[in-house]
Amino acid sequence: MAKVLDGVEIAAEIKAEVAAEVKELAARGVRPGLAVVQVGHVPASEIYVRNKVQTSEELGFLSERITPPETVTTEEMLDVIRALNDRDEIDGILVQLPLPKQVDAKALLDAIDPAKDVDGFHPINAGRLQAGRPALAPCTPAGVIEILKRSGIPIAGANAVVVGRSDIVGKPAALLLLNENATVTICHSKTRDLGAVTRGADILVAAIGRPGFITPEMVKPGATIIDVGINRVTEREEFDRFFAGNEKREAAFEKRGSVIVGDVHPAAFEIAGAYTPVPGGVGLLTIAMLMSNTVQAARMRRGL
Ligand code: GUN
């Protein structure tokens, strides 16, 4: 039986550590401040942002949600960011993606003070990560490393294969694994004979955003699978391809008309030595690492 790497448990552990740091900072008169900017009403973003704000409040941060309208311009968004850069009580600035088409997302991310860039998306932080220097690292990839370390999965010397090369997950995940001395391969849509590459993985990170893309024959028996995907399945046919005969998922599908599936086909987990479930895996770590990054930013900005 493959071991389930429980995101709930690990996220709770990290949040407890962050809470202890918040207490320690409070004794020095410092309260970490996080501002989350959410444009318009993308349903998934609404849920993510609510969770981010709620968690930061629970941990005792100064927490702010800023909600410009769907019609906002790049110039107006730049004004919002500049104002947050200038406010000393704000340690972390997060602009929830995706943004509407008329907004130049890159210009915004570049405008965030790198010291407050708790998403780790600014080119300065990406460069620091690449150079192996201390940096605010993107939250989801940082969560992947925390899961591996806290579950006792050896990274140094392991063959790590990352499927997906996004700036937000795939690329930084590969760099973090490399910084931990894994032998890293990055795969993408043009990779030839993908299965041959993934079958060499001791650690397989799936971050392509396609439901159930990693199938059992692509996995080395005993490998550790980290499934970063969060895909909503609404079609019966697709549901059956992943969960036929699974009573719990069947009930959920009947009730809500959809279920969430990762980038890994559930049958592939049976071959693994350990894996992160979806939901209940990496997703929870993203928020925990955002909290950790915000405390780190609060400390660094004050030279603590
Ligand atoms: N949208 C989906 N994931 C993320 C994330 O980690 N950060 C931001 N800012 N937006 C997202």
Side-chain angles (χ1 to χ4, degrees):
M1 267 296 261
K3 182 179 175 204
V4 178
L5 306 176
D6 186 351
V8 180
E9 210 172 280
I10 298 170
E13 205 174 285
I14 293 168
K15 282 190 277 186
E17 289 166 15
V18 171
E21 285 195 73
V22 171
K23 217 168 150 188
E24 192 193 309
L25 285 173
R28 299 175 184 225
V30 175
R31 185 183 184 198
L34 175 65
V36 181
V37 184
Q38 182 204 343
V39 179
H41 300 281
V42 179
S45 294
E46 300 254 358
I47 298 168
Y48 291 142
V49 168
R50 197 186 315 134
N51 285 338
K52 288 170 184 177
V53 170
Q54 198 179 325
T55 307
S56 61
E57 282 171 355
E58 281 164 14
L59 288 171
F61 293 9
L62 166 71
S63 180
E64 228 173 82
R65 179 163 169 262
I66 297 160
T67 54
E70 183 74 35
T71 53
V72 73
T73 64
T74 301
E75 223 17 79
E76 288 164 341
M77 281 293 285
L78 286 171
D79 286 340
V80 169
I81 287 168
R82 288 181 198 122
L84 292 170
N85 282 343
D86 288 343
R87 284 175 56 195
D88 194 46
E89 74 276 23
I90 297 295
D91 297 293
I93 303 170
L94 181 147
V95 178
Q96 186 68 25
L97 303 176
L99 289 162
K101 283 193 298 292
Q102 79 278 9
V103 178
D104 182 347
K106 286 209 167 94
L108 298 195
L109 298 180
D110 289 0
I112 294 173
D113 179 347
K116 298 188 177 187
D117 171 36
V118 284
D119 249 336
F121 293 167
H122 193 287
I124 292 266
N125 281 316
R128 284 185 186 140
L129 185 64
Q130 193 279 135
R133 313 266 182 95
L136 289 166
C139 303
T140 301
V144 169
I145 299 294
E146 287 299 317
I147 290 182
L148 292 170
K149 283 189 173 172
R150 289 171 190 253
S151 306
I153 310 248
I155 306 176
N159 285 328
V161 175
V162 180
V163 186
R165 57 172 156 180
S166 70
D167 293 333
I168 293 180
V169 182
K171 270 189 233 171
L175 285 169
L176 286 168
L177 287 161
L178 184 61
N179 289 349
E180 296 292 334
N181 300 308
T183 301
V184 182
T185 307
I186 307 176
C187 301
H188 47 78
S189 55
K190 301 278 194 297
T191 298
R192 255 182 254 142
D193 198 356
L194 180 63
V197 183
T198 57
R199 272 192 299 279
D202 304 309
I203 298 169
L204 180 59
V205 179
I208 38 244
R210 289 174 61 178
F213 182 79
I214 302 291
T215 48
E217 68 279 6
M218 296 168 77
V219 176
K220 172 158 92 174
T224 298
I225 306 181
I226 307 293
D227 188 354
V228 181
I230 300 177
N231 310 289
R232 190 171 291 278
V233 166
T234 53
E235 299 298 322
R236 181 82 226 181
E237 203 175 308
E238 201 174 25
F239 174 87
D240 284 343
R241 188 157 74 82
F242 301 127
F243 299 117
N246 181 329
E247 281 176 24
K248 206 168 138 202
R249 294 286 192 142
E250 184 72 54
F253 188 67
E254 284 301 321
K255 191 170 157 201
R256 299 196 199 100
S258 70
V259 288
I260 299 292
V261 65
D263 288 349
V264 179
H265 193 295
F269 292 139
E270 289 166 27
I271 295 164
Y275 70 95
T276 58
V278 176
V282 177
L284 300 161
L285 268 292
T286 299
I287 293 181
M289 296 316 292
L290 173 66
M291 302 304 129
S292 170
N293 274 357
T294 305
V295 167
Q296 197 190 324
R299 277 184 187 286
M300 287 192 309
R301 288 184 58 241
R302 291 170 178 82
L304 297 172

